[in-house]
């Protein structure tokens, strides 16, 4: 048993890179009631985030487009080392009774990762949370504050941080995203 735990931990450790694992299972935050997927579609800019090994650039944004089959085309982009990088994925509503609990995958071989909309007003801000349990012993999580514009008032960001904290999500490591100089041509 000890050997299998060590092997699993050794395999998973490189996957969590910049993330800080937390003991215990994922929290179960409340999500946006009466979530309207169509209103959520469109362009969102990353305002702040928990550090993620897959986001190293600046000017990070994601565009969500509803497809005919009700899946979601997800195109995320960032500027890294002076180069615009894009990745396309697919999103789905994982539970039709709870449409704010989306799943997103950027690969055909990987399962959908949770992408839960905790709160949104659809026109200014959205709070997103993702968490993965590792053998129910610990969890790795991600959180984002998104805006329809590249900046949000500090009071809005503070309120968003309070919302995460009220849902037992540790945002003490949350950092602002770099959204300056994004509209310049590369």
């Amino acid at each position: 048993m000890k050997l299998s735990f060590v092997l699993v931990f050794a395999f998973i450790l490189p996957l969590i890179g910049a993330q800080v694992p937390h003991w215990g299972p994922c929290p179960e935050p409340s999500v946006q009631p009466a979530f309207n997927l169509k209103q959520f579609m469109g362009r969102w800019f990353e305002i702040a985030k928990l550090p993620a090994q897959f986001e190293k650039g600046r000017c990070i944004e994601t565009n969500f487009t509803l497809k005919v089959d009700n899946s979601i085309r997800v195109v995320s982009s960032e500027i890294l080392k002076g180069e615009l990088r894009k990745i396309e994925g697919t999103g789905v509503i994982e539970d039709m009774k709870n449409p704010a609990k989306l799943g997103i995958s950027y690969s055909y071989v990987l399962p959908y990762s949770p992408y839960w909309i905790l709160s949104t007003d659809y026109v200014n801000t959205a709070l997103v949370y993702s968490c993965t349990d590792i053998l129910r012993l610990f969890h790795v999580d991600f959180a984002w504050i998104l805006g329809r514009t590249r900046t949000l008032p500090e009071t809005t960001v503070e309120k968003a941080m309070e919302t995460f904290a009220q849902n037992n999500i540790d945002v003490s490591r949350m950092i602002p995203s770099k959204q300056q100089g994004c509209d310049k041509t590369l």
Side-chain angles (χ1 to χ4, degrees):
M1 177 68 183
K2 281 185 179 179
L3 181 59
S4 62
F5 175 75
V6 170
L7 289 173
V8 168
F9 192 74
F11 173 73
I12 292 172
L13 193 59
L15 300 176
I16 59 178
Q19 283 57 60
V20 176
H22 303 279
W23 289 109
C26 291
E28 285 287 331
S30 56
V31 294
Q32 175 78 24
F35 179 70
N36 184 318
L37 184 62
K38 287 182 182 176
Q39 284 186 305
F40 185 76
M41 296 295 99
R43 190 177 188 190
W44 289 96
F45 300 98
E46 184 183 271
I47 305 300
K49 65 182 173 191
L50 287 178
Q53 82 274 7
F54 51 84
E55 293 181 327
K56 296 181 181 173
R58 61 185 181 84
C59 306
I60 297 172
E61 62 181 80
T62 301
N63 199 346
F64 299 91
T65 308
L66 195 58
K67 295 165 65 172
V68 176
D69 65 358
N70 283 329
S71 66
I72 306 157
R73 179 177 181 242
V74 182
V75 179
S76 296
S77 65
E78 69 179 348
I79 296 174
L80 183 63
K81 297 179 182 175
E83 181 181 326
L84 179 64
R85 296 179 183 219
K86 290 186 178 187
I87 185 168
E88 185 171 334
T90 301
V92 295
I93 295 175
E94 295 197 306
D95 178 0
M96 293 309 277
K97 294 177 189 168
N98 210 340
K101 290 186 175 182
L102 304 177
I104 293 182
S105 179
Y106 289 98
S107 168
Y108 292 108
V109 296
L110 295 175
Y112 288 99
S113 295
Y115 194 87
W116 293 4
I117 314 304
L118 303 191
S119 174
T120 185
D121 63 3
Y122 303 103
V123 294
N124 295 304
T125 63
L127 308 184
V128 178
Y129 182 65
S130 180
C131 188
T132 302
D133 277 324
I134 310 295
L135 304 174
R136 305 233 6 118
L137 296 173
F138 62 95
H139 65 274
V140 177
D141 58 0
F142 306 92
W144 297 271
I145 300 171
L146 305 178
R148 291 290 191 186
T149 58
R150 291 194 187 276
T151 60
L152 290 175
E154 189 58 36
T155 55
T156 303
V157 174
E158 289 169 4
K159 185 178 177 194
M161 301 272 280
E162 289 171 15
T163 300
F164 283 122
Q166 290 165 357
N167 280 284
N168 297 316
I169 298 166
D170 178 7
V171 288
S172 60
R173 298 173 296 108
M174 189 166 267
I175 55 172
S177 300
K178 296 175 184 157
Q179 290 288 349
Q180 297 80 23
C182 301
D183 298 320
K184 296 177 184 174
T185 305
L186 294 175

